[in-house]
Amino acid sequence: MSLIPSFFSGPRSNVFDPFSMDVWDPFKDFRFPAPVSAENSAFVNTRVDWKETPEAHVFKVDIPGLKKEEVKVHIEDDRVLQISGERNVEKEDKEDTWHRVERSSGKFMRKFRLPENAKVNQVKASMENGVLTVTIPKQEVKKLHVKAIEISD
């Protein structure tokens, strides 16, 4: 086992992946006071799955408890998908006694650089059971027709 930490491990599967905009955080595992409280961290660090099918790029975002009006999906600079939203803290009533507060609140924003084959003018989004699904169709890649040419003497 090496005593030198790998700078290439972390949230990115490939450091040279041009589509990933996640940034490696060298202080991720250290216990520092953070500007985001532990109660909010689960919502702020919203998890996203991105899969590519032969027909489309499909993003699935876990955002339980949010209404579709509280979530925004944008395409920036013709190639960057931005998904953002906010869950507000529940209003406190002075007569209520809180025993535990575990549900997260706060803002989130995730950005993804889309590949050239994404049809950014045909993006579709839907929400069901706390999961946002964003589907971006792919342009067809033209198949090259290869014809063998005989070499004469």
Side-chain angles (χ1 to χ4, degrees), residues 72-110:
K72 295 178 182 157
V73 178
H74 296 283
I75 299 290
E76 297 178 342
D77 301 326
D78 294 330
R79 287 279 160 233
V80 178
L81 172 67
Q82 176 181 313
I83 302 169
S84 61
E86 180 176 8
R87 179 183 297 138
N88 295 320
V89 178
E90 192 171 320
K91 293 181 182 178
E92 293 185 28
D93 188 348
K94 292 183 179 181
E95 296 179 13
D96 293 341
T97 302
W98 291 85
H99 295 282
R100 183 175 292 266
V101 178
E102 292 184 345
R103 294 184 317 134
S104 57
S105 62
K107 295 181 181 183
F108 74 92
M109 181 176 65
R110 299 293 305 272

Side-chain angles (χ1 to χ4, degrees), residues 7-38:
F7 293 104
F8 299 110
S9 64
R12 297 172 80 177
S13 59
N14 184 349
V15 174
F16 302 106
D17 181 2
F19 305 123
S20 176
M21 294 184 74
D22 289 339
V23 177
W24 173 68
D25 182 5
F27 304 106
K28 168 180 91 153
D29 295 324
F30 290 102
R31 304 269 182 210
F32 290 123
V36 176
S37 66

